[in-house]
């Protein structure tokens, strides 16, 4: 009430700047202050150096662990899975009709499960390479309109099974650019595959080439599916995230890989 602050009276911040009130520093005091400043800076630099060294060692350890994981996934898991799938396919082919009917469901389940596991391992390897900055891009002249045609040829039969109309809007638009053809093929086929997966029967999907030039290529894919709720848009590129967590329809890594490949291309 009297305008003064006391230890128990207020916890509000109080500041005051005072200039020209101290006695002048002597030459000795200035020299001592400079020496103190130098000593403090030396200690601070040493601390920063030690932290950087520790961070570098930890990063190297994490990189080695990631490489070991990649080697295990690509060899110790993918090879046995391939053998299991091949065995199931041979069994399906050579069993007699009577025997086949008894085990048909189990063989089909083996093939489907191992295919899903193989896809998951491949996606994890791709994500790991992207995060480690080891995704090697082989840039080459690519005709984007021809690439889109190749993708449509691949996914066309899948769309036809669901009676989904695939409409293209790029035939008369030649478009050439430099990119990694196989990686961009994966990007387009993944997004288009998602559209087919979530578009109901008798729906329509349109793929258009909206812009093409030396600095930018813009491809638009639209569908008559349910779309993605605005609240989920910030999560669609997160690893292992899916809109319907109860009914998972993939690995949850597809769009994370798509984004990583596009960013690696500077997009």
């Amino acid at each position: 009430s009297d305008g003064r602050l006391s230890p128990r009276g207020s916890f509000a911040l109080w500041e005051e700047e005072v200039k020209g009130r101290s006695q002048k520093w002597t030459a000795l005091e200035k020299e001592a202050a400079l020496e103190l400043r130098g000593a403090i800076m030396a200690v601070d630099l040493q601390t920063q150096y030690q932290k950087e060294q520790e961070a570098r060692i930890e990063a190297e350890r994490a990189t080695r662990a990631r490489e070991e994981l990649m080697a295990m996934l690509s060899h110790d898991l993918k090879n046995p899975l391939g053998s299991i799938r091949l065995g199931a396919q041979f069994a399906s082919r050579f069993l007699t009709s009577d025997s086949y009917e008894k085990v048909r469901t189990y063989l089909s389940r083996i093939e489907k499960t191992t295919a899903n596991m193989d896809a998951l391992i491949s996606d994890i390897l791709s994500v790991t390479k992207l995060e480690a900055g080891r995704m090697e891009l082989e840039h080459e002249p690519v005709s984007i309109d021809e690439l889109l045609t190749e993708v449509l040829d691949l996914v066309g039969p899948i769309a036809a099974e669901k009676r989904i109309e695939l409409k293209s809007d790029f035939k008369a638009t030649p478009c050439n650019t430099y990119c990694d053809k196989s990686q961009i093929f994966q990007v387009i086929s993944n997004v288009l595959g998602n559209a087919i997966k979530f578009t109901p029967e008798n729906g329509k999907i349109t793929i258009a080439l909206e812009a093409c030039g030396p600095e930018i290529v813009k491809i638009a894919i639209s569908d008559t599916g349910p779309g993605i709720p605005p609240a989920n848009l910030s999560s669609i590129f997160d690893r292992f995230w899916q809109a319907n967590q109860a009914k998972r329809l993939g690995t949850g890594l597809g769009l994370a890989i798509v984004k990583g490949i596009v960013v690696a291309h500077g997009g």
Side-chain angles (χ1 to χ4, degrees):
S1 60
D2 59 2
R4 293 177 58 81
L5 292 176
S6 62
R8 294 290 182 267
S10 172
F11 288 94
L13 179 65
W14 181 78
E15 294 181 350
E16 181 182 23
E17 186 173 340
V18 180
K19 292 183 179 180
R21 296 292 299 275
S22 69
Q23 294 181 0
K24 287 187 176 182
W25 286 28
T26 65
L28 183 62
E29 289 170 336
K30 290 180 180 179
E31 183 180 349
L34 287 172
E35 288 186 8
L36 178 61
R37 174 178 177 272
I40 292 173
M41 289 181 65
V43 171
D44 184 54
L45 288 172
Q46 179 65 25
T47 302
Q48 289 185 32
Y49 175 76
Q50 289 177 349
K51 289 182 178 179
E52 289 173 358
Q53 289 294 98
E54 292 171 359
R56 181 182 61 80
I57 294 171
E58 180 62 24
E60 291 176 353
R61 186 198 65 77
T63 300
R64 285 196 300 271
R66 187 183 295 116
E67 290 174 349
E68 291 171 1
L69 174 63
M70 289 174 62
M72 183 198 72
L73 287 172
S74 60
H75 183 270
D76 295 351
L77 290 181
K78 285 184 75 73
N79 287 355
L81 279 177
S83 299
I84 293 170
R85 290 181 65 187
L86 189 62
Q89 292 169 1
F90 271 108
S92 301
R93 187 178 303 172
F94 294 115
L95 284 172
T96 63
S97 56
D98 292 339
S99 301
Y100 179 69
E101 284 302 318
K102 294 179 181 178
V103 296
R104 177 173 57 85
T105 303
Y106 301 103
L107 291 174
S108 176
R109 190 178 300 163
I110 289 173
E111 289 190 44
K112 182 177 180 180
T113 303
T114 51
N116 290 339
M117 290 177 65
D118 189 62
L120 175 60
I121 292 171
S122 297
D123 286 349
I124 291 175
L125 287 171
S126 297
V127 168
T128 304
K129 288 180 180 178
L130 286 167
E131 290 185 344
R134 297 176 56 129
M135 178 67 74
E136 297 179 359
L137 301 178
E138 297 182 3
H139 288 82
E140 59 180 327
V142 175
S143 171
I144 296 297
D145 48 307
E146 292 181 5
L147 180 62
L148 295 178
T149 301
E150 292 179 21
V151 176
L152 288 177
D153 290 340
L154 173 69
V155 302
I158 305 173
E161 286 184 10
K162 290 186 66 176
R163 293 190 286 277
I164 294 174
E165 178 188 357
L166 275 180
K167 183 180 178 182
S168 58
D169 185 17
F170 57 83
K171 295 289 186 182
T173 313
C175 177
N176 299 293
T177 190
Y178 276 87
C179 65
D180 188 308
K181 182 177 180 180
S182 62
Q183 298 292 350
I184 298 301
F185 184 96
Q186 183 179 357
V187 167
I188 300 168
S189 59
N190 191 299
V191 177
L192 198 55
N194 279 354
I196 294 173
K197 186 185 300 180
F198 295 103
T199 299
E201 287 190 3
N202 302 313
K204 183 172 73 173
I205 299 173
T206 302
I207 179 168
L209 187 56
E210 294 190 346
C212 181
E215 299 296 330
I216 185 171
V217 172
K218 184 177 180 181
I219 299 166
I221 297 174
S222 57
D223 59 66
T224 57
I228 299 173
N232 292 338
L233 289 178
S234 61
S235 303
I236 62 175
F237 295 117
D238 294 346
R239 291 175 298 168
F240 301 108
W241 183 89
Q242 292 189 18
N244 189 341
Q245 296 293 327
K247 186 180 180 183
R248 298 180 68 85
L249 298 174
T251 63
L253 291 170
L255 287 181
I257 294 171
V258 163
K259 181 181 180 181
I261 294 173
V262 171
V263 170
H265 277 79

